[in-house]
Amino acid sequence: MQYQPSFPMLTMPTRPLVAQRGEKQNRYVPAVSTDISKTFEKYRRLAALQNAKQLAT
């Protein structure tokens, strides 16, 4: 049986949290703006419109 730690594993950030010299500071993006379900819903509606347009012709 493999040993399982009782604490969550911490990972390093994928990008620097503080801008380095000469780099542009990353701006904070609210979590609501990163909700990909809205993006998927937008493309579902677009595909439905395109399908309806093809069926009408």
Side-chain angles (χ1 to χ4, degrees):
M1 186 149 103
Q2 193 174 5
Y3 171 73
Q4 293 286 341
S6 60
F7 54 89
M9 191 165 142
L10 298 176
T11 58
M12 295 301 290
T14 57
R15 63 175 173 79
L17 299 178
V18 179
Q20 300 298 316
R21 209 163 137 177
E23 288 182 338
K24 186 174 161 187
Q25 180 72 36
N26 291 320
R27 55 186 183 96
Y28 172 76
V29 178
V32 74
S33 297
T34 62
D35 184 13
I36 62 168
S37 65
K38 290 181 181 179
T39 303
F40 283 117
E41 185 59 35
K42 179 174 75 173
Y43 283 105
R44 270 189 224 109
R45 286 194 311 266
L46 178 63
L49 282 171
Q50 289 173 341
N51 287 338
K53 192 183 288 186
Q54 286 178 353
L55 292 175
T57 57

